[in-house]
């Protein structure tokens, strides 16, 4: 059978190799199965045994997160979205400029690629000019992605007017854009939040563009109207030339924004596409709920924010996951990790003598405790093995003697009667098995001699007690 011989030789070759490869299943983020190869090396077993027999391993020092962001960034995890991200979503403040179609916000809500948690069946575009909006949104991509099947266009009563509570009825979410060039922009934030409450809207995301024109005193009053499910984002001038993902950014709580001449966000322009992406995705992020934030791109390409964002993208984070991390104080946590590393590195390189002495003393105490604990465990194991060997010897002796008959005791009673001799035999066997020095004849003679002496002492004590009690007649009558 040549095929059988082939399999034998193949198996032999596989066993003789020092390393082999095996397929391992891994589940990727999109829940699909992928194949990877894992190398199994015989040298790893050698290193493992060497580590067990060797001394204590030194504590591994974590790499510098500032130099190696990949060591800091954790693998992407699935996000828990907000509730009510289905049904009808309302969009206002967009598709009002002839130069732009503003289709991006509708594409994100349509979620054709399945990246976000949105599952809307209807998307309502509330705009100033419905016929013009239809022309701008009737694109080829809107038709291919199924956006046109969900899209509904509603015209406002006048240019720049907010929707009514009747317009919003049945909507679970609302994405609104306001412009700070309108003096009533701050008061409109209050109007929008009140309308959302009246219409029963669960999730609301508001973008206030050109926010550098606002006074910080007026912006500080907005927090009082931002409740659960509401996100208000302030952003400065928008740049149509900056593409999404091309520039680093930061997301700050509004109270942490640095003021310049009592103005909010007097910094460089922000990418329009990036602002639309961040605010629209925040509609489904728990971390963005009940938040008043500011978007800023006033960061250099080698800043901690830029390095972290690059690291998140290199680790495979989707845009919602990336925005959620930055929204959840990701940059601040990264900067804190860098400072912690620098502090620990300084302490390692410049140790405190008193601290070293304390650590050494504690280590010696712990080593003594561990040593004592191990010695007790060894003694308990030894005692258990000797008792097992003693029991085996006693059972063999009982069986041997019971073959001759005239055995007045059962096995348990016999083992109890010869237990001292059995423990001697067990100890002797244990030392022989473990390579200890033994002299069976000499030790047995000494043991029997000691047993005879014990018997003599016991007999003498019994006689003394007997005589003390008056012999066979009982206690002597002194009267």
């Amino acid at each position: 059978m040549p095929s059988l011989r082939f399999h034998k030789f193949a198996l032999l070759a596989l066993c003789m190799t020092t390393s082999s490869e095996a397929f391992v299943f891994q589940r990727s983020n999109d829940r699909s199965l992928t194949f990877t190869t894992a190398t199994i090396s015989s040298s790893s077993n050698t290193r493992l045994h060497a580590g067990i027999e060797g001394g204590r391993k030194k504590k591994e020092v974590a790499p510098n997160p500032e130099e190696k962001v990949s060591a800091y960034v954790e693998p992407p995890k699935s996000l828990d979205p907000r509730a009510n991200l289905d049904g009808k979503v309302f969009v206002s403040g967009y598709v009002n400029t002839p130069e732009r179609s503003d289709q991006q916000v509708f594409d994100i809500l349509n979620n054709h690629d399945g990246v976000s948690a949105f599952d809307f069946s209807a998307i309502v575009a509330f705009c100033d000019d419905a016929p013009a909006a239809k022309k701008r949104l009737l694109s080829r991509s809107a038709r291919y992605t199924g956006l046109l099947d969900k899209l509904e266009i509603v015209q406002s009563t006048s240019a720049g007017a907010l929707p009514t509570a009747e317009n919003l009825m049945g909507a679970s979410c609302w994405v609104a854009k306001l412009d700070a060039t309108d003096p009533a922009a701050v008061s409109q934030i209050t109007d929008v939040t009140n309308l959302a409450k009246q219409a029963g809207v669960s999730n609301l995301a508001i973008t206030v563009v050109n926010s550098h024109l606002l006074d910080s005193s007026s912006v500080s009053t907005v927090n009082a109207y931002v409740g659960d499910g509401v996100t208000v984002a302030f952003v400065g001038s928008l740049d149509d030339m900056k593409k999404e993902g091309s520039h680093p950014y930061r997301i700050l709580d509004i109270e942490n924004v640095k003021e310049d001449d009592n103005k909010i966000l007097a910094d460089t322009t922000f990418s329009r596409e990036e602002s639309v992406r961040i605010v629209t995705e925040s509609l489904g992020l728990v971390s963005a709920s009940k938040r008043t934030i500011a978007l800023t791109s006033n960061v250099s390409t080698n800043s901690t924010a830029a390095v972290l964002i690059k690291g998140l993208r290199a680790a495979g984070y989707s845009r919602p996951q990336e925005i959620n991390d930055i929204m959840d104080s990701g940059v601040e946590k990264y900067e804190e990790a860098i400072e912690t590393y620098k502090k620990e590195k300084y302490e390692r390189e410049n140790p405190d003598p008193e601290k070293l002495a304390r650590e050494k003393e504690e280590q010696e105490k712990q080593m003594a405790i561990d040593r004592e604990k191990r010695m007790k465990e060894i003694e308990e194991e030894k005692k258990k093995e000797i008792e097992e060997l003693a029991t085996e010897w006693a059972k063999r002796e009982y069986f041997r003697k019971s073959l001759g008959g005239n055995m007045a005791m059962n096995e348990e009673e016999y083992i109890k009667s010869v237990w001292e001799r059995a423990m001697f035999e067990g100890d002797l066997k244990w030392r022989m098995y473990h390579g200890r020095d033994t002299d069976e004849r000499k030790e047995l003679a000494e043991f029997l001699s000691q047993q005879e002496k014990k018997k003599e002492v016991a007999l003498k004590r019994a006689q003394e007690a007997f005589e003390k009690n008056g012999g066979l007649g009982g206690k002597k009558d002194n009267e």
Side-chain angles (χ1 to χ4, degrees):
M1 299 177 66
S3 59
L4 181 60
R5 287 197 299 271
F6 174 79
H7 290 304
K8 284 183 177 180
F9 288 134
L11 182 60
L12 179 61
L14 180 62
C15 295
M16 291 177 65
T17 53
T18 57
S19 64
S20 60
E21 289 188 341
F23 281 105
V24 179
F25 284 103
Q26 289 186 343
R27 191 171 293 277
S28 59
N29 294 331
D30 59 357
R31 299 182 180 178
S32 62
L33 289 176
T34 58
F35 289 94
T36 59
T37 58
T39 302
I40 305 170
S41 175
S42 61
S43 60
S44 61
N45 296 329
T46 305
R47 290 195 298 271
L48 177 62
H49 292 298
I52 293 173
E53 295 174 0
R56 291 176 175 267
K57 291 183 178 180
K58 292 183 179 180
K59 183 180 179 181
E60 293 185 2
V61 179
N64 186 353
E66 189 174 16
E67 297 175 354
K68 192 175 181 181
V69 68
S70 59
Y72 168 79
V73 175
E74 297 180 354
K77 299 177 182 178
S78 58
L79 302 176
D80 294 326
R82 296 193 207 176
N84 303 315
L85 297 179
D86 53 6
K88 183 168 72 173
V89 58
F90 203 86
V91 181
S92 64
Y94 293 89
V95 207
N96 290 328
T97 305
E99 305 86 52
R100 300 189 310 272
S101 68
D102 288 338
Q103 185 177 324
Q104 183 191 12
V105 61
F106 301 99
D107 288 336
I108 296 172
L109 295 172
N110 185 34
N111 193 25
H112 175 69
D113 52 7
V115 173
S116 303
F118 303 137
D119 190 23
F120 299 114
S121 57
I123 302 174
V124 179
F126 185 81
C127 55
D128 296 339
D129 189 345
K134 285 182 181 179
K135 291 180 181 179
R136 289 196 289 272
L137 291 176
L138 290 176
S139 63
R140 181 178 299 177
S141 62
R143 182 167 63 251
Y144 290 159
T145 59
L147 174 61
L148 294 182
D149 297 332
K150 303 178 181 180
L151 189 62
E152 178 185 349
I153 299 177
V154 176
Q155 183 167 318
S156 61
T157 54
S158 61
L162 293 176
T164 62
E166 289 76 16
N167 294 138
L168 292 165
M169 282 299 173
S172 62
C173 300
W174 183 7
V175 178
K177 187 182 76 170
L178 304 175
D179 196 329
T181 55
D182 185 345
V186 175
S187 62
Q188 284 182 336
I189 296 175
T190 307
D191 296 337
V192 169
T193 55
N194 289 334
L195 279 170
K197 288 180 182 179
Q198 293 176 18
V201 175
S202 302
N203 300 300
L204 171 63
I206 304 173
T207 308
V208 184
V209 301
N210 296 313
S211 297
H212 57 285
L213 301 175
L214 299 175
D215 291 335
S216 58
S217 57
S218 62
V219 173
S220 61
T221 62
V222 173
N223 277 332
Y225 303 96
V226 179
D228 292 334
V230 178
T231 305
V232 179
F234 291 91
V235 63
S237 300
L238 299 181
D239 189 342
D240 293 326
M241 301 304 294
K242 291 182 179 179
K243 298 298 181 183
E244 177 188 351
S246 62
H247 291 73
Y249 61 91
R250 291 195 68 163
I251 300 175
L252 305 171
D253 288 320
I254 196 66
E255 57 267 20
N256 296 330
V257 177
K258 295 181 180 180
E259 299 181 6
D260 183 11
D261 297 330
N262 204 32
K263 300 290 184 181
I264 294 292
L265 296 175
D267 69 339
T268 58
T269 58
F270 199 91
S271 167
R272 183 183 300 276
E273 291 184 0
E274 194 72 66
S275 69
V276 171
R277 170 66 70 175
I278 293 172
V279 178
T280 308
E281 292 289 1
S282 70
L283 189 71
L285 299 177
V286 176
S287 60
S289 178
K290 202 175 181 180
R291 294 280 297 276
T292 305
I293 59 176
L295 310 182
T296 174
S297 61
N298 192 16
V299 290
S300 60
T301 55
N302 59 351
S303 64
T304 53
V307 173
L308 178 60
I309 291 172
K310 289 179 182 178
L312 295 174
R313 293 173 182 174
Y317 278 58
S318 64
R319 287 313 309 273
Q321 290 171 325
E322 172 197 321
I323 295 168
N324 178 75
D325 189 275
I326 304 300
M327 188 80 70
D328 193 22
S329 304
V331 177
E332 291 76 11
K333 292 176 182 177
Y334 180 48
E335 291 174 343
E336 183 180 348
I338 292 173
E339 291 302 318
T340 301
Y341 173 84
K342 290 179 178 178
K343 181 180 178 182
E344 292 177 351
K345 181 182 178 182
Y346 177 82
E347 291 177 353
R348 285 195 306 270
E349 295 175 351
N350 303 275
D352 182 4
E354 295 182 359
K355 183 179 179 181
L356 286 177
R358 287 195 303 270
E359 290 178 351
K360 184 179 180 181
E361 183 180 356
E362 291 174 0
Q363 185 178 10
E364 289 175 351
K365 287 181 180 179
Q366 187 61 44
M367 288 176 65
I369 294 171
D370 294 342
R371 190 183 302 111
E372 183 180 356
K373 181 180 177 182
R374 181 56 185 158
M375 291 302 295
K376 287 182 179 179
E377 291 176 353
I378 291 174
E379 287 299 323
E380 289 176 0
E381 291 174 3
K382 176 183 175 182
K383 182 181 178 182
K384 183 179 179 182
E385 291 180 14
I386 291 175
E387 288 177 351
E388 290 175 354
L389 292 171
T391 304
E392 291 176 3
W393 179 88
K395 287 182 177 181
R396 286 197 303 270
E397 286 295 307
Y398 175 80
F399 178 75
R400 183 176 62 82
K401 290 187 176 183
S402 63
L403 292 177
N406 300 324
M407 197 66 177
M409 294 181 288
N410 59 28
E411 185 181 66
E412 184 178 353
E413 292 172 342
Y414 178 77
I415 292 174
K416 188 176 181 181
S417 67
V418 297
W419 186 245
E420 285 191 30
R421 173 66 186 275
M423 286 296 289
F424 166 78
E425 295 289 345
D427 180 73
L428 187 65
K429 293 291 184 185
W430 186 90
R431 286 184 285 121
M432 291 174 63
Y433 291 159
H434 289 79
R436 308 292 175 84
D437 293 334
T438 58
D439 190 339
E440 187 173 358
R441 291 184 180 181
K442 182 180 178 181
E443 291 183 25
L444 180 58
E446 290 176 355
F447 173 78
L448 293 176
S449 175
Q450 291 175 359
Q451 292 298 105
E452 286 298 327
K453 289 179 180 179
K454 287 182 180 180
K455 287 181 181 179
E456 290 176 3
V457 172
L459 181 59
K460 184 178 179 181
R461 289 178 180 174
Q463 288 177 349
E464 291 175 354
F466 180 75
E467 292 173 358
K468 185 178 180 180
N469 291 329
L472 295 174
K475 290 185 178 182
K476 293 179 179 180
D477 190 357
N478 297 325
E479 295 180 358

